[in-house]
Amino acid sequence: VAMKKSSVQTITAIVVLATGVALTYIDYFSPPAGEIAASVLDYLRHTMFFAGSVLGVKNYVDYRISQKKEDY
């Protein structure tokens, strides 16, 4: 089954973001409890930036395309 490029981008962004949140959650409850390592926060920052970029660009492009279709 062929997937659309936008579907693959959305799924990838969600999976990457979920790994960042899961890693942060796991690190918070592992010894020493209540502390999150700087490297985990850095990874979470990168995952949030990636997901925001992918989803934001996708939504912007979809919006602009729908505007162009309305003009014609």
Side-chain angles (χ1 to χ4, degrees):
V1 174
M3 292 183 72
K4 291 174 130 182
K5 183 178 179 182
S6 61
S7 297
V8 173
Q9 289 175 335
T10 303
I11 291 169
T12 303
I14 291 170
V15 168
V16 167
L17 186 59
T19 62
V21 171
L23 184 62
T24 305
Y25 183 80
I26 290 167
D27 192 44
Y28 182 77
F29 290 106
S30 65
E35 293 183 18
I36 302 174
S39 60
V40 173
L41 291 175
D42 190 46
Y43 180 75
L44 179 63
R45 178 177 60 91
H46 284 287
T47 60
M48 293 174 80
F49 184 77
F50 173 77
S53 297
V54 169
L55 297 175
V57 169
K58 178 189 172 304
N59 288 336
Y60 176 76
V61 169
D62 290 344
Y63 173 73
R64 295 297 283 178
I65 289 173
S66 68
Q67 277 187 332
K68 293 293 182 188
K69 286 182 180 178
E70 290 175 4
D71 290 344
Y72 291 108

